[in-house]
Amino acid sequence: MTDMPTQAGDAAATHPRRVFSGVQPTGNLHLGNYLGAVKRFVEMQDEGLGETLYCMVDLHAITTWQDPAELTRSIRELAAAFMACGLDPKKSILFNQSQVAAHAELGWIFNCVARVGWLNRMTQFKEKAGKNRENASVGLYGYPVLMAADILAYQATHVPVGEDQKQHLELTRDIATKFNNDFGCPDFFPLPEPIIEGAATRVMSLRDGSKKMSKSDASDMSRINLTDDSDAIAQKIRKARTDPDPLPGSLEGLAERPEARNLVGIYAALADTTAEAVVAEYAGAQFGAFKPALADLAVEKLSPIAGRMREFLADPAEIDRILGDGAERAAAIANPIIDATYDKVGLLRSRPR
Ligand code: AQP
C-alpha cells in the first residue's frame, strides 16, 4: 500500500467518454451555479459526444443541517431548474444521489483509501467549517471523498464544474490513482478531467468582489437567483458594487478591479462571447450605461428559465417519475462497477439491492 498518490498517465483515454456532475439541492440556483456549471452541462449534453449524467447531490446537502420538508422541496426545485435550463431527461440521465446506493457504497470504500492528510488540505472545508471546525459534521469533512465516489461510480471521464471545485477534482484523481495502485488494477478507475471553461468559471458576489457568489451568503443582494423576477434582477445589477472609473479598453485594465471584472465576465458568459469582446465593445463606457445593458441581457436570458421552472414545478409527480427513471438508469451503469470494485477489494458481491 502506498500513502502518497502517484499520478499515472491519463486513464481517461482508456475509458469511453462519460460526463458526470452534480449540484446540491440547498436552495435556489444562482447565476454562479448557472454560468459556472449548469450552462456547461447543457452544452455537453447537446454536443452528444458521450453519456451525460447530472445529479442532485442530496447526500452532500445534508453535510450541513437541512430542514427535511425544505430539502424534499429543494430536490424537486433543482430538478425543475435543471430541466428549465435545458437539461433533457431523454438526452441526459437526471437523478437524485440518495436514490442510487452506489454513491454511499463506493463512498465508504474511498473513505478507506483517502488519507486524512489529503483531506486536511481541502480549502472548502476550512471555509465552510470556519472557526467552528470542531463542531462541523464528519460528513462535511468527508464531502470530497463522497464526491470522488459520485464521479467514479460511473467511471466518468469528464466533470464540468466551477473553479471552486478544482481541488476536489484533484483529490478524486488522487483517490482513483491510489485505488488502482493498491489493488493492482492500473486503469480500473479513470482519472477524470475537470472541465472548467467559459467566461465565468468563478462568479463573484455582487456586493463584494473578493467573495464568490454563493447560496449561503446572508445577503440576497449578493446573488441573482434563477427564480428572481425582472425587477429583482435589474435592481441587483443596478446596486452591484463597482468602482467610479469607466470600463477600460483592454482586459489588463481590469486586473485590479474585481467588481468590474466580475460584471464583464457575467456579461460575456450570458452573451456567449469573451471578456475581451465585451471590453472592446464597452471601452470607455461608464457603469451608468453598462449596468442597464447587462440587466437587459440578464433578464432576456434568465426570465424564460424562471417561467419554465414554474411550469415543471406545477407537476411534482412528473418530476418524481423522471427522477425515479433517472435513478434506475444511473444504477444500471453504476452497479456493475461497484460489483467489480467489491471483487477487487475482496468483499463478497451477492447482496440484496
Ligand atoms: N460563484 C460561482 N461561480 C461559478 N461556479 C460556481 N459554482 C458554485 N458557485 C459558483 C458551481 O456550481 C456547481 C454546484 O455547486 P454546489 O451547489 O454543489 O456547491 P457550492 O459550490 O457549495 O454552491 P454554493 O452556491 O457556494 O453553495 P453554498 O453557499 O451552500 O456553499 C459546482 O460546479 C460549483 O463549482
Side-chain angles (χ1 to χ4, degrees):
M1 293 252 295
T2 55
D3 273 1
M4 287 303 293
T6 51
Q7 293 273 337
D10 222 317
T14 62
H15 290 72
R17 181 186 167 97
R18 188 174 280 146
V19 177
F20 175 93
S21 197
V23 176
Q24 295 186 73
T26 43
N28 275 328
L29 274 197
H30 53 71
L31 190 63
N33 300 131
Y34 176 62
L35 296 178
V38 183
K39 189 166 179 285
R40 195 75 189 99
F41 297 178
V42 178
E43 289 160 1
M44 293 185 87
Q45 162 190 274
D46 292 342
E47 282 163 10
L49 296 177
E51 261 167 325
T52 45
L53 293 102
Y54 298 118
C55 184
M56 283 120 257
V57 288
D58 55 352
L59 296 177
H60 287 278
I62 60 169
T63 56
T64 56
W65 161 253
Q66 304 295 325
D67 175 81
E70 192 70 34
L71 177 62
T72 309
R73 197 165 35 247
S74 293
I75 292 167
R76 294 198 181 107
E77 256 177 36
L78 181 56
F82 270 8
M83 293 189 284
C85 290
L87 292 180
D88 177 349
K90 291 198 188 71
K91 295 186 191 163
S92 291
I93 300 179
L94 306 184
F95 70 105
N96 188 36
Q97 184 186 29
S98 64
Q99 291 178 289
V100 180
H103 295 253
E105 290 176 315
L106 191 58
W108 182 258
I109 292 174
F110 284 172
N111 271 332
C112 304
V113 172
R115 307 287 92 181
V116 170
W118 303 355
L119 288 187
N120 284 343
R121 291 195 282 275
M122 295 297 111
T123 53
Q124 193 179 78
F125 174 73
K126 290 177 194 161
E127 282 161 19
K128 289 202 170 181
K131 293 199 176 72
N132 207 5
R133 203 180 153 136
E134 291 297 304
N135 207 30
S137 74
V138 176
L140 187 67
Y141 184 70
Y143 181 119
V145 179
L146 182 59
M147 180 167 157
D150 299 336
I151 297 164
L152 295 173
Y154 302 94
Q155 293 177 329
T157 55
H158 294 78
V159 186
V161 280
E163 210 173 276
D164 58 325
Q165 294 299 326
K166 195 165 176 225
Q167 193 185 35
H168 289 168
L169 254 297
E170 280 159 13
L171 187 96
T172 298
R173 292 164 65 94
D174 288 346
I175 290 173
T177 303
K178 183 160 161 55
F179 184 97
N180 292 347
N181 283 345
D182 286 354
F183 295 102
C185 44
D187 292 328
F188 182 65
F189 286 120
L191 307 192
E193 291 288 332
I195 306 294
I196 303 173
E197 291 173 348
T201 54
R202 186 171 175 81
V203 178
M204 308 310 283
S205 156
L206 298 178
R207 307 303 301 158
D208 178 351
S210 68
K211 273 172 43 186
K212 78 164 189 151
M213 187 177 283
S214 159
K215 295 182 202 119
S216 53
D217 193 311
S219 165
D220 193 56
M221 292 300 282
S222 71
R223 64 182 160 262
I224 293 174
N225 305 302
L226 293 192
T227 48
D228 282 346
D229 63 23
S230 309
D231 288 348
I233 294 173
Q235 194 203 24
K236 286 175 180 182
I237 292 176
R238 200 170 54 245
K239 297 216 161 164
R241 192 167 144 187
T242 42
D243 55 51
D245 296 333
L247 283 170
S250 71
L251 276 191
E252 294 75 64
L254 289 175
E256 305 298 323
R257 300 174 62 188
E259 284 89 8
R261 194 169 61 236
N262 190 36
L263 295 189
V264 167
I266 291 172
Y267 190 108
L270 285 171
D272 284 316
T273 183
T274 60
E276 284 91 339
V278 176
V279 163
E281 187 180 345
Y282 286 94
Q286 298 289 342
F287 281 103
F290 182 69
K291 281 180 170 179
L294 175 58
D296 286 349
L297 177 64
V299 169
E300 179 199 322
K301 299 284 179 177
L302 301 181
S303 34
I305 296 179
R308 284 195 295 273
M309 243 183 104
R310 279 192 295 275
E311 285 167 24
F312 285 119
L313 281 170
D315 191 353
E318 175 62 5
I319 293 180
D320 291 359
R321 192 199 60 74
I322 288 168
L323 293 183
D325 177 61
E328 265 181 42
R329 289 158 66 204
I333 299 173
N335 288 346
I337 295 169
I338 301 299
D339 286 348
T341 308
Y342 269 49
D343 268 352
K344 299 204 180 302
V345 176
L347 302 171
L348 296 183
R349 250 192 306 169
S350 51
R351 60 196 187 283
R353 285 201 185 277

